[in-house]
Amino acid sequence: MKYTVDKQEKYALIKVAEAKFNSTVAPEIKAEFLYLHNQGYKNFIIDLTGVQYCDSSGLSAILTGNRLSKNEGGACILAGVQDHVRKLISISQLDNILVTIPTVNEAIDFIFMDEIEKQLHKEQ
């Protein structure tokens, strides 16, 4: 399998299990984002720890997940981003749009803190 999905109450974790996040993997991941979105998930964590290379189709899949989550008031977090992928994000000038966090555990903490903060703002 090219990726795995771990569904939790507050988020879905998509782990890309390929060294290259390109056109052979990206369409499946895009479809998975749409499927998860239709199931009511608004927070996505994309684990890119093992991804050494990403092209425009991989970036497009990431942006699809980001758009779906933002439209629902959620968060899309990239975890474990390697140097090549980080450079692509920077060159594409998406480093101000995409949230990158060093580890999956920190990304999970971010999701929970973000949910708490939104709930507090809603109550005020």
Side-chain angles (χ1 to χ4, degrees):
M1 181 179 269
K2 297 173 184 161
Y3 66 95
T4 58
V5 178
D6 181 15
K7 298 176 188 176
Q8 298 295 321
E9 182 181 344
K10 298 278 186 196
Y11 63 90
L13 170 63
I14 297 99
K15 179 177 177 64
V16 181
E18 291 282 329
K20 295 182 179 182
F21 191 0
N22 56 23
S23 60
T24 61
V25 180
E28 293 177 44
I29 303 251
K30 273 187 184 181
E32 191 66 42
F33 280 127
L34 291 169
Y35 178 72
L36 291 166
H37 176 260
N38 289 336
Q39 287 187 320
Y41 286 92
K42 65 178 184 176
N43 295 311
F44 301 123
I45 299 171
I46 308 168
D47 183 358
L48 299 173
T49 304
V51 176
Q52 299 299 318
Y53 171 82
C54 182
D55 67 6
S56 60
S57 55
L59 195 55
S60 175
I62 291 169
L63 290 170
T64 297
N66 190 63
R67 178 180 47 83
L68 291 170
S69 67
K70 297 297 182 201
N71 287 348
E72 298 298 324
C76 183
I77 312 297
L78 304 178
V81 179
Q82 303 300 313
D83 287 339
H84 180 278
V85 180
R86 188 176 312 285
K87 287 177 188 172
L88 176 65
I89 290 168
S90 179
I91 289 168
S92 304
Q93 298 181 341
L94 295 170
D95 39 0
N96 291 328
I97 295 170
L98 298 173
V99 177
T100 60
I101 293 183
T103 67
V104 170
N105 286 338
E106 289 173 293
I108 293 168
D109 290 344
F110 180 92
I111 294 286
F112 279 97
M113 293 303 293
D114 191 50
E115 287 288 313
I116 291 169
E117 192 174 297
K118 287 176 183 171
Q119 188 64 33
L120 287 172
H121 286 287
K122 187 187 272 187
E123 292 173 1
Q124 290 178 350

Coordinates of all heavy atoms in Angstrom, one line a residue, residues 52-87:
Q52 N 11.0 11.5 0.4 CA 12.2 12.2 0.0 C 12.1 13.1 -1.1 O 12.8 14.0 -1.3 CB 13.3 11.1 -0.3 CG 13.6 10.2 0.8 CD 14.2 10.9 2.1 OE1 15.0 11.8 2.0 NE2 13.7 10.5 3.2
Y53 N 11.0 12.9 -1.9 CA 10.8 13.7 -3.2 C 9.3 13.9 -3.3 O 8.5 13.0 -3.1 CB 11.3 12.9 -4.4 CG 11.0 13.5 -5.7 CD1 11.7 14.6 -6.2 CD2 9.9 13.1 -6.4 CE1 11.4 15.2 -7.4 CE2 9.6 13.7 -7.6 CZ 10.3 14.7 -8.1 OH 10.0 15.3 -9.3
C54 N 9.0 15.1 -3.7 CA 7.6 15.5 -4.0 C 7.6 16.3 -5.3 O 8.4 17.2 -5.4 CB 7.0 16.3 -2.8 SG 5.3 16.7 -3.0
D55 N 6.6 16.1 -6.2 CA 6.5 16.9 -7.4 C 5.2 17.7 -7.3 O 4.5 17.7 -6.3 CB 6.6 16.0 -8.6 CG 5.5 15.1 -8.8 OD1 4.5 15.1 -8.1 OD2 5.5 14.3 -9.8
S56 N 4.8 18.3 -8.4 CA 3.7 19.2 -8.4 C 2.4 18.4 -8.2 O 1.4 18.9 -7.6 CB 3.6 19.9 -9.7 OG 3.5 19.0 -10.8
S57 N 2.3 17.2 -8.6 CA 1.1 16.4 -8.3 C 0.9 16.0 -6.8 O -0.2 16.1 -6.3 CB 1.0 15.2 -9.2 OG 2.1 14.4 -9.0
G58 N 2.1 15.8 -6.2 CA 2.0 15.5 -4.7 C 1.6 16.8 -4.0 O 0.8 16.8 -3.1
L59 N 2.2 17.9 -4.4 CA 1.9 19.2 -3.8 C 0.4 19.5 -4.0 O -0.3 20.1 -3.2 CB 2.7 20.3 -4.4 CG 2.8 21.6 -3.7 CD1 3.2 21.5 -2.3 CD2 3.8 22.6 -4.4
S60 N -0.1 19.2 -5.2 CA -1.6 19.4 -5.5 C -2.4 18.6 -4.6 O -3.5 19.1 -4.1 CB -1.8 19.0 -7.0 OG -3.2 19.1 -7.2
A61 N -2.0 17.4 -4.3 CA -2.8 16.5 -3.3 C -2.8 17.2 -1.9 O -3.8 17.2 -1.3 CB -2.2 15.1 -3.3
I62 N -1.6 17.7 -1.5 CA -1.5 18.3 -0.2 C -2.5 19.6 -0.2 O -3.2 19.8 0.8 CB -0.1 18.7 0.1 CG1 0.8 17.5 0.3 CG2 0.0 19.7 1.2 CD1 2.3 17.7 0.3
L63 N -2.4 20.3 -1.2 CA -3.3 21.5 -1.3 C -4.8 21.2 -1.3 O -5.6 21.9 -0.8 CB -2.9 22.4 -2.5 CG -1.6 23.1 -2.4 CD1 -1.2 23.7 -3.8 CD2 -1.5 24.1 -1.3
T64 N -5.1 20.1 -1.9 CA -6.5 19.6 -1.8 C -6.9 19.4 -0.4 O -8.0 19.8 0.0 CB -6.7 18.3 -2.7 OG1 -6.4 18.6 -4.0 CG2 -8.1 17.8 -2.6
G65 N -6.1 18.6 0.3 CA -6.4 18.4 1.8 C -6.5 19.7 2.5 O -7.4 19.9 3.4
N66 N -5.6 20.6 2.3 CA -5.5 21.9 3.0 C -6.8 22.7 2.7 O -7.4 23.2 3.6 CB -4.3 22.7 2.5 CG -4.1 23.9 3.4 OD1 -3.8 23.8 4.6 ND2 -4.2 25.0 2.7
R67 N -7.2 22.7 1.4 CA -8.4 23.5 1.1 C -9.7 22.9 1.7 O -10.5 23.6 2.3 CB -8.6 23.5 -0.5 CG -9.9 24.2 -0.9 CD -10.0 24.2 -2.4 NE -9.8 22.9 -3.1 CZ -10.7 21.9 -3.2 NH1 -11.9 22.1 -2.6 NH2 -10.4 20.8 -3.8
L68 N -9.8 21.5 1.7 CA -11.0 20.9 2.3 C -11.0 21.2 3.8 O -12.1 21.4 4.3 CB -10.9 19.4 2.0 CG -11.2 19.0 0.6 CD1 -10.9 17.5 0.4 CD2 -12.6 19.3 0.1
S69 N -9.9 21.1 4.5 CA -9.9 21.3 5.9 C -10.2 22.8 6.2 O -11.0 23.1 7.1 CB -8.6 20.9 6.5 OG -7.5 21.7 6.1
K70 N -9.6 23.7 5.5 CA -9.8 25.1 5.8 C -11.3 25.5 5.5 O -11.8 26.3 6.3 CB -8.9 26.0 4.9 CG -7.4 25.8 5.2 CD -7.0 26.2 6.6 CE -5.5 26.0 6.7 NZ -5.1 25.9 8.1
N71 N -11.9 25.0 4.5 CA -13.3 25.3 4.2 C -14.2 24.9 5.3 O -15.3 25.4 5.4 CB -13.7 24.6 2.9 CG -13.1 25.3 1.7 OD1 -12.5 26.4 1.7 ND2 -13.2 24.7 0.5
E72 N -13.8 23.9 6.1 CA -14.6 23.4 7.2 C -14.2 24.0 8.6 O -14.6 23.5 9.6 CB -14.6 21.9 7.3 CG -15.2 21.2 6.0 CD -16.6 21.5 5.8 OE1 -17.4 21.6 6.8 OE2 -17.1 21.7 4.7
G73 N -13.2 24.9 8.5 CA -12.7 25.5 9.8 C -11.7 24.5 10.5 O -11.5 24.7 11.7
G74 N -11.2 23.6 9.8 CA -10.2 22.7 10.4 C -8.8 23.1 10.1 O -8.5 24.2 9.6
A75 N -7.9 22.1 10.3 CA -6.5 22.3 10.1 C -5.9 21.2 9.3 O -6.3 20.0 9.4 CB -5.7 22.5 11.4
C76 N -4.9 21.5 8.4 CA -4.2 20.5 7.7 C -2.7 20.7 8.0 O -2.2 21.7 7.7 CB -4.4 20.6 6.2 SG -3.6 19.4 5.2
I77 N -2.1 19.7 8.6 CA -0.8 19.8 9.1 C 0.1 18.8 8.4 O -0.2 17.7 8.2 CB -0.7 19.4 10.6 CG1 -1.8 20.2 11.4 CG2 0.7 19.7 11.2 CD1 -1.7 21.6 11.4
L78 N 1.3 19.3 8.0 CA 2.3 18.5 7.4 C 3.3 18.1 8.5 O 3.9 19.0 9.1 CB 3.0 19.2 6.2 CG 2.2 19.7 5.1 CD1 3.0 20.4 4.1 CD2 1.4 18.6 4.5
A79 N 3.6 16.8 8.7 CA 4.5 16.4 9.7 C 5.7 15.7 9.1 O 5.5 15.0 8.1 CB 3.8 15.5 10.8
G80 N 6.9 15.9 9.7 CA 8.0 15.1 9.2 C 8.5 15.5 7.8 O 9.0 14.7 7.1
V81 N 8.4 16.8 7.5 CA 8.7 17.2 6.1 C 10.3 17.2 6.0 O 11.0 17.8 6.7 CB 8.2 18.7 5.9 CG1 8.6 19.2 4.5 CG2 6.7 18.7 6.1
Q82 N 10.7 16.5 4.9 CA 12.1 16.4 4.6 C 12.6 17.6 3.8 O 11.8 18.4 3.3 CB 12.4 15.1 3.9 CG 12.0 13.9 4.6 CD 12.6 13.7 5.9 OE1 13.9 13.8 6.0 NE2 11.9 13.4 7.0
D83 N 13.9 17.8 3.7 CA 14.5 19.0 3.1 C 14.0 19.3 1.7 O 13.6 20.4 1.3 CB 16.0 18.9 3.1 CG 16.6 19.1 4.5 OD1 15.9 19.7 5.3 OD2 17.8 18.7 4.7
H84 N 14.0 18.2 0.8 CA 13.6 18.5 -0.6 C 12.1 19.0 -0.6 O 11.8 19.9 -1.4 CB 13.7 17.2 -1.4 CG 13.3 17.4 -2.8 ND1 12.0 17.3 -3.2 CD2 14.0 17.7 -3.9 CE1 11.9 17.6 -4.5 NE2 13.1 17.8 -5.0
V85 N 11.2 18.4 0.1 CA 9.8 18.8 0.1 C 9.7 20.2 0.7 O 8.9 21.0 0.2 CB 9.0 17.8 0.9 CG1 7.5 18.2 0.9 CG2 9.1 16.3 0.3
R86 N 10.5 20.5 1.8 CA 10.4 21.8 2.4 C 10.9 22.9 1.3 O 10.3 23.9 1.2 CB 11.3 21.9 3.6 CG 11.2 23.2 4.4 CD 12.1 23.1 5.6 NE 11.9 21.9 6.5 CZ 10.9 21.7 7.2 NH1 9.9 22.5 7.3 NH2 10.9 20.6 8.0
K87 N 11.9 22.5 0.5 CA 12.3 23.5 -0.5 C 11.3 23.7 -1.5 O 11.1 24.8 -2.0 CB 13.6 23.0 -1.1 CG 14.8 23.1 -0.2 CD 16.1 22.5 -0.9 CE 17.2 22.5 0.2 NZ 18.4 21.7 -0.3

